[in-house]
Amino acid sequence: MITEAELVKKVRTLLNEAEQEGVSLITGDTLLLDKHIAALLPEAVLFIQMNKAQGVLNVKSLANCTLKVDGDGGAVVQLPDDYIRLVSIKVDSWKRPCTKSYPQGSVIANLQCDKYMRTGNYSPVCIEGADAAGCLTLKLYPAEAASVVESLLYEARYNASEGLAGGCEPLIKAVAYQCAALVCSVYERHDTANVFLSLAAALCNNIK
């Protein structure tokens, strides 16, 4: 895990800020700068999660998943509030895990409504949606009454008290660059911000 303090230090290093307490070339106040960095970290993490070409960032595991079978060949798992993107889910009856989810209304999702076109245990499908209460869900195909979720990994929204729970090193660096870009934009250092944005984009696309 990477703590928020460690992330703030990474961003300050990129900004070429002095380490002396109370000194900042940008704001004149180190503590104020640290607060701005911390406030912008959630936005930076989410941006990288949504724009990366591959890899994972801030991965968590959901334990004790309860499957609710609904009688159409699938079952529903309720997701936590901090869910951003599926990494992997495995049901005991599947021959392999599912590593991609599709939105409701997509062609893949609509095919699951037809028992003759529906997928099987060798090619499981996950559909993202929401229940009547607005809670995020994953609809899993195929699933039976006795099915059990063996594992569920997902990318989570950033939480300051938890820091980053893990991920690919280039993407962690991309978060620091993206956050540095946001800080520079706040203080109207647009040329420097654009440089940091380019570096973050390069890391998101695995350009060395």
Side-chain angles (χ1 to χ4, degrees):
M1 184 193 79
I2 302 175
T3 66
E4 181 172 271
E6 291 171 325
L7 289 170
V8 169
K9 185 176 181 179
K10 286 177 182 291
V11 176
R12 287 194 58 195
T13 299
L14 292 176
L15 294 171
N16 200 27
E17 283 292 300
E19 290 292 333
Q20 290 91 344
E21 184 177 354
V23 177
S24 170
L25 300 177
I26 294 179
T27 69
D29 186 334
T30 300
L31 294 179
L32 180 60
L33 177 61
D34 289 352
K35 288 180 180 178
H36 283 160
I37 293 173
L40 291 167
L41 276 171
E43 183 179 345
V45 173
L46 181 61
F47 182 89
I48 300 305
Q49 287 175 322
M50 302 306 295
N51 288 279
K52 59 186 173 60
Q54 58 183 356
V56 295
L57 181 64
N58 204 32
V59 179
K60 291 185 179 180
S61 174
L62 183 61
N64 302 319
C65 302
T66 301
L67 279 177
K68 182 179 180 181
V69 179
D70 57 12
D72 70 346
V76 175
V77 172
Q78 185 170 320
L79 297 169
D81 292 338
D82 64 350
Y83 174 90
I84 294 295
R85 190 190 299 271
L86 177 68
V87 174
S88 175
I89 184 169
K90 176 68 168 63
V91 172
D92 59 348
S93 57
W94 293 354
K95 300 302 181 183
R96 66 177 185 84
C98 185
T99 57
K100 183 177 181 180
S101 60
Y102 299 90
Q104 285 182 330
S106 64
V107 173
I108 296 296
N110 291 336
L111 286 175
Q112 308 315 306
C113 298
D114 186 333
K115 65 179 180 179
Y116 298 108
M117 300 296 292
R118 188 177 301 148
T119 190
N121 289 324
Y122 285 90
S123 301
V125 168
C126 296
I127 309 299
E128 289 188 5
D131 59 21
C135 298
L136 296 173
T137 62
L138 272 183
K139 184 70 173 290
L140 313 179
Y141 293 95
E144 302 172 354
S147 296
V148 176
V149 175
E150 294 181 341
S151 64
L152 195 167
L153 299 176
Y154 68 100
E155 287 184 302
R157 193 177 300 277
Y158 177 77
N159 184 313
S161 64
E162 298 174 350
L164 282 180
C168 303
E169 183 61 30
L171 296 180
I172 294 172
K173 291 180 180 178
V175 167
Y177 280 120
Q178 181 66 24
C179 191
L182 294 173
V183 172
C184 289
S185 294
V186 168
Y187 292 104
E188 298 185 350
R189 297 190 172 191
H190 300 301
D191 289 343
T192 306
N194 288 335
V195 171
F196 286 134
L197 285 172
S198 297
L199 292 169
L203 288 166
C204 280
N205 290 286
N206 296 308
I207 301 173
K208 302 299 184 181

